[in-house]
Amino acid sequence: MEQTFTGSFTQQEPIPEDAIAAAVAVMRSGRLHRYNTAPGEASQTALLEQEFAAQTGAKYCLAVASGGYAIATALRAQGVQHGDPVLTNAFTLAPVPGAIASVGGQPVFVGITPDLRLDFNDLADKARASGARVLLLSHMRGHLCDMPALMRLCDDLGLIVIEDCAHTMGADWDGIPSGRFGAMGCFSMQTYKHINSGEGGFLIGDDAQAMARAVMMSGSYMLYETHLAAPAPDVFEGIKYHTPNISGRMDNLRAAILRPQLADLPTQVARWNDRYRTVEAGLADTPGLRLIPRPVQEHFVGSSIQFLLMDWSDAQIEAAIAGCTARGVELKWFGAAQPKGFTSRYDSWRYAPAQSLPGSDRVLRAIVDMRLPLTFSLQDCTLIAQIIAQEVAKQHQG
Ligand SMILES: *Cc1c(COP(=O)(O)O)cnc(C)c1O
């Protein structure tokens, strides 16, 4: 009898008890709005920002309503205007080109390599051809490119880099945290990311002017002095009458839930990576299946795993995935012609000018993705890898 798996790929762990207690305390206080504080009180939101700034080594941190809002705010803070081209990965998630469109920008998609990282040659070509000033770099599915090399190239090309770190909270390249290479880093605290408040986002950076604009835009009114990780009040003097309020604040309830989770992040990262390495080892040497290399400098967070079924026919890929589904293993084929659930292919975003990226198309149609929630045990991961390897082998031979 073939074994099947019975766990849920969308079941995250419960919110920790200390976070629940902190949330209850905020609700008892009635002070859920971040600027509603008792005399002398630092709000949960301000404390959360201070803690994330310390954890990443950023001078400034702003907590906001979502990851997508953080990205749009970063684009605005960097001066992106209506009609401006903005470079971004051809393989990312819908909120990324969506954030560009939300500020009136034009997404220009840059190709990806078979390692799921940005293609540096295509970046140089697209930067020159489009005249873009900004690269919105998406560390999609947690794959960091060679960041020092990328930053050198972007300096040469005169590109400002904004990092989308939705899948890299807790990750670093050679000791430098993701989000600390570019001018600004954007994070998400949505349920499927690395800390969970349902919705939420962070924006970090060292540029006082840009961050002061971001704080004003997020909806600080003239209450920015209560922040603990914002630029000094004098920086706001020059901008406070000229920066619109585009309301998108974090609230104290969600901040209270996040603070204990943030403190726990390094432990959770180690648990994710144990699961990742277990599945990876179980899939190694599966004929026809290509794993994504992980450079030694890349300290990633293995909250999902990808592999390529390169140059397989649609029918073969569909049969392998159906075989896994029948045995309880939920895989997502990012390359499917018709997007299901969430979309990750540049040709699904037709509000952007049409582009053709044949090299990336070959990779995109081969990508298979699987979530690795922490509710899976290491034994679960061994079984899951066995099932995938068997089902892929059946189609590869057949
Ligand atoms: C989730 C996600 C976002 C946006 O985060 P939200 O908090 O859902 O707005 C941005 N980029 C990527 C790659 C994501 O997966």
Side-chain angles (χ1 to χ4, degrees):
M1 246 279 295
E2 283 186 331
Q3 279 191 289
T4 63
F5 176 66
T6 54
S8 162
F9 283 79
T10 50
Q11 183 59 57
Q12 305 292 43
E13 290 187 302
I15 299 298
E17 286 304 323
D18 52 349
I20 293 173
V24 170
V26 169
M27 287 189 281
R28 292 225 159 91
S29 79
R31 295 189 294 278
L32 274 68
H33 191 282
R34 71 167 294 167
Y35 298 114
N36 181 204
T37 49
E41 181 187 36
S43 76
Q44 290 291 316
T45 308
L47 290 167
L48 175 71
E49 289 167 340
Q50 190 177 45
E51 288 157 3
F52 194 61
Q55 205 172 92
T56 53
K59 271 194 189 157
Y60 310 116
C61 174
L62 174 69
V64 294
S66 74
Y69 182 88
I71 298 172
T73 304
L75 292 167
R76 288 192 182 97
Q78 295 298 331
V80 173
Q81 303 279 323
H82 198 91
D84 285 355
V86 177
L87 300 157
T88 195
N89 308 46
F91 175 48
T92 182
L93 203 73
V96 175
I100 297 171
S102 80
V103 302
Q106 297 261 15
V108 177
F109 297 109
V110 178
I112 56 156
T113 68
D115 293 349
L116 307 186
R117 293 166 171 93
L118 207 66
D119 176 341
F120 288 6
N121 293 323
D122 196 42
L123 173 63
D125 290 347
K126 295 279 162 61
R128 293 194 183 103
S130 67
R133 289 173 47 242
V134 174
L135 166 65
L136 173 50
L137 171 67
S138 188
H139 302 302
M140 181 61 177
R141 280 334 209 189
H143 299 281
L144 293 166
C145 50
D146 179 339
M147 289 305 295
L150 176 79
M151 293 312 297
R152 278 194 300 276
L153 176 59
C154 289
D155 283 346
D156 288 348
L157 294 165
L159 290 174
I160 297 167
V161 178
I162 296 171
E163 294 177 67
D164 164 24
C165 307
H167 302 163
T168 54
M169 183 186 283
D172 68 78
W173 180 274
D174 210 8
I176 300 180
S178 148
R180 295 293 295 135
F181 289 91
M184 287 180 145
C186 307
F187 298 80
S188 168
M189 288 83 100
Q190 193 233 81
T191 296
Y192 296 111
K193 314 300 162 91
H194 299 168
I195 56 176
N196 175 12
S197 58
E199 304 287 352
F202 279 131
L203 185 55
I204 59 169
D206 287 350
D207 177 338
Q209 286 291 329
M211 195 56 84
R213 282 197 296 277
V215 169
M216 290 295 298
M217 285 190 279
S218 77
S220 68
Y221 307 101
M222 300 298 162
L223 301 165
Y224 45 79
E225 290 189 34
T226 61
H227 285 235
L228 298 172
D234 63 289
V235 182
F236 288 83
E237 285 308 315
I239 61 143
K240 67 182 187 187
Y241 296 110
H242 305 283
T243 308
N245 177 326
I246 308 167
S247 206
R249 289 173 300 271
M250 165 65 63
D251 60 86
N252 290 334
L253 185 54
R254 282 182 292 170
I257 293 172
L258 289 168
R259 291 181 62 213
Q261 294 183 62
L262 193 59
D264 223 24
L265 183 61
T267 311
Q268 300 294 74
V269 169
R271 294 177 62 217
W272 258 308
N273 289 350
D274 288 344
R275 283 153 184 77
Y276 184 96
R277 292 300 187 191
T278 302
V279 174
E280 186 186 45
L283 293 179
D285 311 318
T286 306
L289 180 152
R290 183 183 187 279
L291 286 164
I292 310 300
R294 312 279 350 204
V296 288
Q297 303 96 323
E298 186 201 29
H299 303 128
F300 60 93
V301 182
S303 53
S304 68
I305 187 164
Q306 294 68 48
F307 57 83
L308 303 182
L309 300 176
M310 207 66 163
D311 300 325
W312 284 37
S313 71
D314 285 9
Q316 262 183 311
I317 297 178
E318 276 164 1
I321 290 175
C324 290
T325 307
R327 298 174 63 186
V329 174
E330 249 180 68
L331 301 178
K332 179 167 173 78
W333 182 23
F334 274 135
Q338 300 296 322
K340 277 190 202 150
F342 46 96
T343 68
S344 302
R345 262 172 71 142
Y346 69 96
D347 54 356
S348 316
W349 308 313
R350 297 184 191 163
Y351 49 82
Q355 272 182 251
S356 168
L357 297 162
S360 299
D361 289 344
R362 183 173 166 238
V363 177
L364 282 167
R365 59 175 298 286
I367 304 174
V368 179
D369 177 89
M370 186 177 79
R371 284 187 173 131
L372 282 171
L374 289 174
T375 48
F376 291 179
S377 67
L378 295 183
Q379 266 173 327
D380 290 340
C381 293
T382 303
L383 172 61
I384 288 166
Q386 238 167 41
I387 291 172
I388 297 172
Q390 286 167 1
E391 295 302 318
V392 165
K394 277 186 204 167
Q395 300 310 319
H396 188 63
Q397 290 152 5

